[in-house]
Amino acid sequence: MTIASFGSHNWGMVVDVDKCIGCNACVIACQAENNIPINTQDRVERARSISWIRVERYWEGDFPDAKARFIPIMCQHCENAPCEPVCPVYATYHNSEGNNVQVYNRCVGTRYCANACPYIVRFFNFWEPVWPESLRNHLNPDVTIRSRGIMEKCSFCVHRIRRESRKARSEGHEIVDGAIQTACSSACPTTALNFGNFNDPNSKVSKMRDDQRHYTLLDQFATDPNVIYLAQIDADKKVGVGEAATHG
Amino acid sequence: MQQRRELDQVYTNRKLLNGQLDTPKWWLPTVVTLGLIVMIGIAVILVMVNKGLGVTGLARPVYWGLFITTFVFWVGISHAGIMISAILRLTQAEWRRPVTRAAELLTVFSLLTALVFPLIHAGRPWRIAYWIMPYDVARGIYPNIRSPLIMDPVAIGTYLTGSTLFLYIALLPDLGNLRDRTTGWRNAMYTVLSLGWRGNPRQWKMQTVGGILLSALMLPIFVSVHSIVSWDFAIASAVEGWHSTIFAPYFVIGAVHSGVSAVVTMMALMRWLWKWDDFIRPEHFDALARLLIVVATGWLGFTFLELTFALYGQDAPEIALREMQMFQWPWNGLFILFFLTAYAIPVPMWLFKRVRTNIALMFWTSILVNIGMWLERFLIIVPGLARRTPFVYTWEAYRPSPVEWTIFIWSFAWVTFLMLLFSKFFPLVPLFEQKESQVFTDDVMIGRAKVPAIVREAD
C-alpha cells in the first residue's frame, strides 16, 4: 500500500462505505471550513460547481427492491499522483507528510492537473469567488480564499494539521491519534470518514485499513491513493458498490 | 517535371517585386478588413482576460477545448516551413524554390499565433512568466521540467528562433535588391535590414553555408516540436484516448500533412493574387501533391495503428471512449467529416495528374485537408476529456462559447493579416532562388528528345 518512506507522518483517510448514509454533512462541513464559494444553481448546471468532497449516489435494482448506494469521493492524495508531474510551476506537489498539496500562489491555471486526474476531484475557479454580504464574517480566517483562474482541491484540511502539529510541538509531545480531524470526518455522523496517520501502526486508520474489505479507487492506474475505502457489506451479495466503482 | 521556361532577370525582378514596388488594388481593402477582424479578436481576448475563463464553454471535466485544439493545429501548420525549406533543401529538390519563403513565413506566423493560445488559455495569464521564464530566481524554485508544458515553450521557442533566422538569411539578397530599387524611408529601411549585402562571392558563400547549416540544425526540431506537443496529451496516463505511446510520430506526420497542405493553399492564393503564373506553376503543385499522397498515407497508417493499439489492449474504458468517438452523436458526425476531409476525398483525387495540376482543385482539396486535420485534433482532445469516467458526477458535455469561436476566427485573420503586411515590404517568392534555378536549368539531349534537367556543379 502506502510507501512508508516519509517522516513520522503519512496522513490518510479510511472511508467505510458501509457506514455512509449519504447525508452530505461532510460536503457542507467542507464547504464551510474551506471557504468554498456557494454552488449556485447556475454553476451546478454549467458543471462549474466546486465541492472538494462529494457524495456520489447510485441506484441499484428497481422499486421496491431499489437500493441507494453512496460513496464519498475527495482528492485521493495519491502517492503516484498523475496531477503532480504535469504542473509546469510546481503548484501541486507531494509534501513530506504524504499529502498532495496545492500552492495557490504558484498556480497559473493551466488546468493540466485537472485533466490528468482520473478521479476528477480538482476544481477550477472560472470566476472570482463571491459570497453574500451576510456570509462575509463567516469565512474561515485559516484558509486562503482562492482567486479566479486557479485550481483548488481537497487539502485534507492542512490548516488543521498545521495547527495541531504546532500545538503538539509547543507542548513537547507527539500528535495524539485522533487529535486531528478534517472538517468532513468531524462532521460525519456515522464515522464513515476516518482521518489519521498511516505511519503509526497503532493509529485507528492503520488498523482499519487492514480490514479485508479494503480497496482503493481506480487501482488500475496505480496511483497508490492515501484514501482507503472499505467495501459495503451486503446481505445478499458479496461485492459492494465500491468494488463496482473500482473496476468500472 | 521541370519544364524549361526562359525568364529574363528584369522580368523576374519586376514581377516578383510587384507587391513592394507597386501596391495591388485589392491589398488595402483586404488588409483593412482583416485588421478589423484582428482588432475585434484582440478586444475579445482582452475581455476574456479581464472577466476570466468563465466566458468560455469550458467546464468540468473538459478543461481544455477549442483553444488547445487550435494551438495544436497552428503548431501543425508550422511544420510546413521545416519540411519544405529544410528537408527539401537538404535533399536538393529543385521544385521547392519558389515555395521556400512562403513556407518559412507560414511557420513563423503560425508559431506566433500558436503561442498565444496556451498563454490566454491560462487562468492567470499575467503570471505566465513563472511558467515560461526558466530562471525565476525570485521564487527560489525552478519550473517543473518533467511537465510537457515546460518543454513546449522551449521547443516552440527554439523553432521560432531557428525559423526567423532562416527566413532572414534567405531574405538578405532580396533585401539588397529592394534597397537598390527604392528611395526615401524605404531605402533607409532596406539599407539597414540588408546588412550591407553587395552580392559578392564571399557573401553568397556565407549566405549559402548559413542556410544549409540552419537547415541541418533545424532537422531535430522537425521531430521534437510536435512530439513534445503530443506529450501534452500522451503523458496523461489516466485519460483514455490520450495516453498513447504512438502520439509523437503520429502528431509529427499529421503536422506535415496539414502543413504542406497549407503551403499548397497559400501557393494557389499567391499565384492568383499576384498573378505569378510564370513562377508558381502546375508542376510545383504536382510535386507537392505527390509528396502529400505519401505523407497522408503514412499518416493514415498511424491513425489505424492508434486505433489498433487502443483496441488491442481490450481495456473497457478505452473501448468505451473509441465507441463514443466514432459512434455517438455528435462525435460520429465529426469523425466521418474528419475522415472524409483529411483523407478519403483529397488523397484519391490527387492520384490523378489532371487534379494535381489543376490549381483550383488543389486549392480546395488542401483546404479540406486542414479542416480534417483540425477536426482530428479536436476529436483527440475533447472526447478524451469528455469520456464517461466511472463517476457519474463528472459526466458533462462541452460546447464552445461565442468567445472561443471569435478567438478561433481571429487566429486565421491574424495569420493572413501578418502575411499580407509582410508581402507589402518583402517579396513572397525568393528572387535569388528563382534566378538560381534558372541558372541551373538546362536542356539535355536524350536521343532525339530535348529533356529539361537540373545541372549542378560537382562539389
Side-chain angles (χ1 to χ4, degrees):
Chain A
M1 277 284 144
T2 315
I3 310 158
S5 60
F6 299 107
S8 51
H9 299 118
N10 184 3
W11 304 110
M13 196 173 259
V14 176
V15 181
D16 192 341
V17 180
D18 194 42
K19 286 182 178 168
C20 180
I21 53 171
C23 67
N24 277 295
C26 50
V27 179
I28 302 298
C30 177
Q31 204 88 14
E33 176 79 15
N34 291 301
N35 297 340
I36 296 172
I38 293 168
N39 289 324
T40 55
Q41 183 183 357
D42 172 56
R43 290 193 180 188
V44 173
E45 280 172 358
R46 287 289 291 110
R48 285 169 176 178
S49 56
I50 296 174
S51 63
W52 289 6
I53 183 169
R54 60 179 191 251
V55 178
E56 296 223 355
R57 184 194 62 196
Y58 299 89
W59 292 105
E60 239 180 54
D62 293 316
F63 184 81
D65 292 325
K67 281 182 180 139
R69 310 288 202 181
F70 305 104
I71 181 165
I73 292 173
M74 72 300 282
C75 171
Q76 307 287 305
H77 292 268
C78 316
E79 294 296 326
N80 294 321
C83 57
E84 286 168 10
V86 299
C87 178
V89 289
Y90 280 118
T92 185
Y93 75 101
H94 222 69
N95 75 3
S96 57
E97 297 188 345
N99 292 2
N100 174 279
V101 292
Q102 180 77 19
V103 185
Y104 305 128
N105 273 341
R106 290 179 189 167
C107 182
V108 296
T110 65
R111 307 190 288 297
Y112 201 171
C113 53
N115 288 343
C117 175
Y119 306 99
I120 321 213
V121 287
R122 294 183 147 267
F123 300 91
F124 183 69
N125 286 277
F126 282 94
W127 305 105
E128 200 70 44
V130 280
W131 284 270
E133 191 57 36
S134 57
L135 280 180
R136 269 199 110 79
N137 293 333
H138 291 246
L139 295 180
N140 186 349
D142 290 343
V143 179
T144 317
I145 287 179
R146 284 78 57 186
S147 66
R148 128 171 106 80
I150 62 175
M151 299 302 304
E152 60 182 67
K153 62 158 197 86
C154 165
S155 66
F156 265 172
C157 286
V158 68
H159 53 287
R160 292 188 177 203
I161 300 178
R162 294 286 167 270
R163 190 163 57 209
E164 281 306 318
S165 325
R166 270 199 306 275
K167 202 171 137 207
R169 205 182 317 131
S170 68
E171 290 168 3
H173 60 80
E174 288 291 303
I175 303 169
V176 188
D177 184 40
I180 304 177
Q181 284 300 319
T182 56
C184 54
S185 68
S186 58
C188 183
T190 59
T191 65
L193 298 164
N194 301 276
F195 184 78
N197 179 9
F198 280 141
N199 272 6
D200 174 6
N202 298 318
S203 70
K204 185 181 170 198
V205 286
S206 290
K207 287 178 181 145
M208 279 182 85
R209 77 164 169 184
D210 291 337
D211 193 305
Q212 58 169 349
R213 293 185 290 140
H214 76 256
Y215 68 95
T216 53
L217 288 185
L218 301 182
D219 56 357
Q220 71 266 35
F221 294 124
T223 50
D224 195 3
N226 273 323
V227 176
I228 311 292
Y229 286 82
L230 302 183
Q232 183 152 20
I233 302 167
D234 210 325
D236 7 301
K237 272 204 295 177
K238 278 265 160 69
V239 190
V241 62
E243 292 299 305
T246 315
H247 303 295
Chain B
M1 193 169 74
Q2 195 95 2
Q3 276 145 37
R4 182 97 195 254
R5 185 81 60 95
E6 284 290 354
L7 300 171
D8 69 82
Q9 300 215 349
V10 177
Y11 177 77
T12 306
N13 281 345
R14 201 180 59 230
K15 250 336 223 184
L16 290 185
L17 294 178
N18 64 1
Q20 291 76 49
L21 301 181
D22 41 37
T23 314
K25 274 199 195 74
W26 53 265
W27 191 84
L28 197 63
T30 318
V31 167
V32 168
T33 316
L34 286 172
L36 278 176
I37 302 176
V38 166
M39 275 176 21
I40 293 170
I42 291 175
V44 170
I45 290 173
L46 290 178
V47 166
M48 190 176 80
V49 171
N50 182 33
K51 299 269 182 216
L53 286 165
V55 297
T56 62
L58 299 168
R60 179 193 66 245
V62 185
Y63 283 111
W64 288 1
L66 211 65
F67 288 161
I68 295 296
T69 307
T70 315
F71 160 72
V72 179
F73 173 77
W74 282 114
V75 176
I77 295 282
S78 78
H79 273 56
I82 201 130
M83 180 72 202
I84 303 279
S85 47
I87 293 191
L88 296 185
R89 184 186 186 121
L90 292 177
T91 53
Q92 301 190 341
E94 278 299 315
W95 54 266
R96 75 172 198 281
R97 288 184 185 275
V99 195
T100 45
R101 173 142 329 136
E104 203 58 48
L105 202 58
L106 194 60
T107 300
V108 173
F109 290 150
S110 59
L111 279 180
L112 281 174
T113 312
L115 266 180
V116 172
F117 281 95
L119 303 191
I120 60 170
H121 181 262
R124 302 203 281 189
W126 52 91
R127 289 204 170 212
I128 225 72
Y130 293 153
W131 159 16
I132 291 176
M133 294 293 167
Y135 300 107
D136 181 12
V137 185
R139 273 193 323 160
I141 55 166
Y142 290 109
N144 179 6
I145 50 162
R146 290 179 301 169
S147 169
L149 287 190
I150 288 300
M151 308 176 211
D152 264 346
V154 175
I156 293 177
T158 315
Y159 193 12
L160 191 58
T161 316
S163 300
T164 314
L165 283 174
F166 198 87
L167 182 68
Y168 189 53
I169 284 186
L171 207 54
L172 281 175
D174 292 355
L175 286 172
N177 198 331
L178 275 165
R179 174 197 59 201
D180 300 342
R181 279 166 184 74
T182 45
T183 51
W185 67 271
R186 285 162 184 275
N187 180 266
M189 180 183 79
Y190 292 128
T191 308
V192 173
L193 285 177
S194 59
L195 300 179
W197 179 267
R198 299 154 68 104
N200 61 35
R202 184 171 160 274
Q203 286 180 333
W204 275 115
K205 192 178 172 192
M206 282 166 69
Q207 196 258 2
T208 312
V209 170
I212 291 173
L213 273 181
L214 274 174
S215 307
L217 281 173
M218 295 218 309
L219 271 183
I221 304 179
F222 176 70
V223 182
S224 69
V225 173
H226 227 52
S227 298
I228 288 173
V229 168
S230 80
W231 294 336
D232 285 354
F233 312 105
I235 203 173
S237 54
V239 183
E240 287 87 24
W242 278 23
H243 63 91
S244 178
T245 46
I246 205 174
F247 263 23
Y250 178 39
F251 271 49
V252 169
I253 197 159
V256 176
H257 186 31
S258 70
V260 176
S261 298
V263 169
V264 172
T265 313
M266 233 182 106
M267 277 167 60
L269 278 177
M270 278 158 59
R271 181 183 153 106
W272 176 58
L273 288 173
W274 283 277
K275 311 203 167 38
W276 286 333
D277 303 26
D278 286 333
F279 303 96
I280 301 170
R281 294 203 305 273
E283 64 254 30
H284 296 126
F285 289 90
D286 181 55
L288 278 173
R290 285 161 190 253
L291 176 69
L292 272 173
I293 294 173
V294 177
V295 171
T297 309
W299 166 83
L300 187 75
F302 273 102
T303 310
F304 279 121
L305 272 182
E306 193 216 351
L307 275 178
T308 316
F309 288 178
L311 300 180
Y312 191 74
Q314 303 211 347
D315 186 22
E318 184 76 42
I319 291 170
L321 171 88
R322 301 293 162 182
E323 202 258 328
M324 171 179 146
Q325 210 176 28
M326 281 186 271
F327 300 111
Q328 278 175 29
W329 184 257
W331 310 113
N332 58 357
L334 292 176
F335 192 87
I336 292 168
L337 194 62
F338 143 69
F339 184 72
L340 287 178
T341 51
Y343 193 90
I345 295 176
V347 178
M349 281 176 73
W350 292 334
L351 292 177
F352 300 98
K353 184 154 188 169
R354 285 237 305 275
V355 176
R356 291 202 301 268
T357 50
N358 182 328
I359 283 112
L361 276 179
M362 284 305 292
F363 175 76
W364 291 112
T365 45
S366 63
I367 286 197
L368 278 188
V369 169
N370 271 315
I371 294 174
M373 290 309 291
W374 187 88
L375 282 172
E376 186 221 10
R377 278 65 173 257
F378 189 77
L379 281 169
I380 287 173
I381 294 168
V382 177
L385 292 175
R387 75 202 185 281
R388 301 205 149 174
T389 63
F391 309 111
V392 285
Y393 176 79
T394 65
W395 289 7
E396 289 293 340
Y398 164 65
R399 181 188 293 265
S401 75
V403 169
E404 285 174 280
W405 284 119
T406 313
I407 296 172
F408 167 75
I409 292 166
W410 162 83
S411 73
F412 288 85
W414 174 238
V415 171
T416 324
F417 177 76
L418 288 176
M419 287 278 190
L420 288 181
L421 218 54
F422 184 93
S423 80
K424 185 73 199 86
F425 299 104
F426 308 102
L428 283 179
V429 172
L431 276 74
F432 80 92
E433 289 263 21
Q434 181 62 37
K435 292 172 192 168
E436 200 175 58
S437 85
Q438 285 287 325
V439 172
F440 283 153
T441 315
D442 202 358
D443 287 336
V444 178
M445 297 296 290
I446 297 178
R448 252 180 289 170
K450 238 185 184 181
V451 175
I454 303 300
V455 182
R456 272 180 181 278
E457 290 173 57
D459 287 329

